[in-house]
Amino acid sequence: MKTFTLPPLPYDMKALEPFISENTLSFHYGKHHKAYVDKLNELKPGTPFEDAGLEDIIRKADGALYNQAAQVWNHTFYWSCMKPAGGAPTGVLAEAIQEKWGSFEAFQAEFTKAAAGLFGSGWVWLAHKKGKLEIIAAPNAGNPIRDGKEPLLVLDVWEHAYYLDKQNRRPDYIADFWKLVDWDAVSERYLV
Ligand code: MN
């Protein structure tokens, strides 16, 4: 039987300060993300997904198994969308954003609005299908892979992502997220 492990954080716990604190990362990665991995391993035995990969479970499972698997994947992806100093989209992605939204600033404004407006817990994605870009506000453990779309960028808007640093101020967390987005990684995904 396949056992999932918590992937290493791609930077150290202080790397995203002052925008995301070591305290937040230690709980968010060390407790929340880890708990989703542990719970997934607990739930899997006896299901048709004992030997399935994470993306397979996300595409085909329902209920608690889907939720845990998607939360594992989403967090790993979220960490990989940030780095200590952000930047701006490049190459083909920069052009596609310009074409779809008119400007990078207009894209950012729409993504920010989707993130601020998502009621309760969830994830806001930039994804594409055959090159066609889309912003998706997905409640709970939502993941665009399930709908045959390719994720490019994600923001975790569960309260646990920002409450220790920002309390109820989700807009401040979103504003700081823009300073951390690893646009090189995001742009590279769009080339694949
Ligand atoms: Mn989270």
Side-chain angles (χ1 to χ4, degrees):
M1 196 187 67
K2 199 177 165 77
T3 301
F4 292 110
T5 52
L6 180 65
L9 199 62
Y11 28 72
D12 73 50
M13 296 275 186
K14 289 184 199 287
L16 304 181
E17 289 192 339
F19 308 115
I20 294 178
S21 70
E22 178 182 19
N23 193 29
T24 288
L25 272 191
S26 72
F27 277 92
H28 197 180
Y29 169 76
K31 305 284 185 199
H32 291 276
H33 193 181
K34 183 179 185 300
Y36 293 123
V37 173
D38 292 345
K39 191 75 183 170
L40 176 62
N41 285 326
E42 243 175 74
L43 286 172
K44 227 157 42 85
T47 74
F49 297 98
E50 281 194 348
D51 297 309
L54 208 48
E55 296 190 5
D56 232 28
I57 301 175
I58 292 170
R59 284 191 190 96
K60 296 172 192 158
D62 291 304
L65 200 57
Y66 167 81
N67 286 335
Q68 300 300 327
Q71 287 294 86
V72 170
W73 197 101
N74 294 1
H75 281 92
T76 304
F77 192 75
Y78 168 64
W79 310 132
S80 78
C81 287
M82 297 181 285
K83 67 176 181 182
T90 55
V92 186
L93 179 63
E95 287 165 24
I97 286 174
Q98 173 90 26
E99 194 177 316
K100 165 105 191 180
W101 285 280
S103 67
F104 176 64
E105 291 70 27
F107 154 75
Q108 249 186 333
E110 189 176 321
F111 190 104
T112 296
K113 192 175 163 200
L118 178 56
F119 183 78
S121 297
W123 301 82
V124 179
W125 302 85
L126 173 65
H128 79 99
K129 191 170 188 174
K130 294 180 178 149
K132 198 173 178 294
L133 294 172
E134 190 185 351
I135 292 168
I136 301 164
N140 304 316
N143 183 310
I145 289 176
R146 200 168 167 91
D147 303 315
K149 295 169 185 169
E150 301 273 345
L152 296 169
L153 169 70
V154 77
L155 174 61
D156 185 346
V157 295
W158 284 58
E159 224 169 48
H160 68 222
Y162 57 87
Y163 207 84
L164 291 175
D165 290 342
K166 309 285 202 291
Q167 292 74 52
N168 60 326
R169 302 186 308 277
R170 190 190 284 185
D172 291 357
Y173 161 66
I174 300 167
D176 277 351
F177 173 70
W178 291 121
K179 297 165 189 157
L180 296 169
V181 174
D182 183 350
W183 282 107
D184 290 336
V186 177
S187 302
E188 206 164 294
R189 282 176 198 132
Y190 192 62
L191 299 173
V192 177

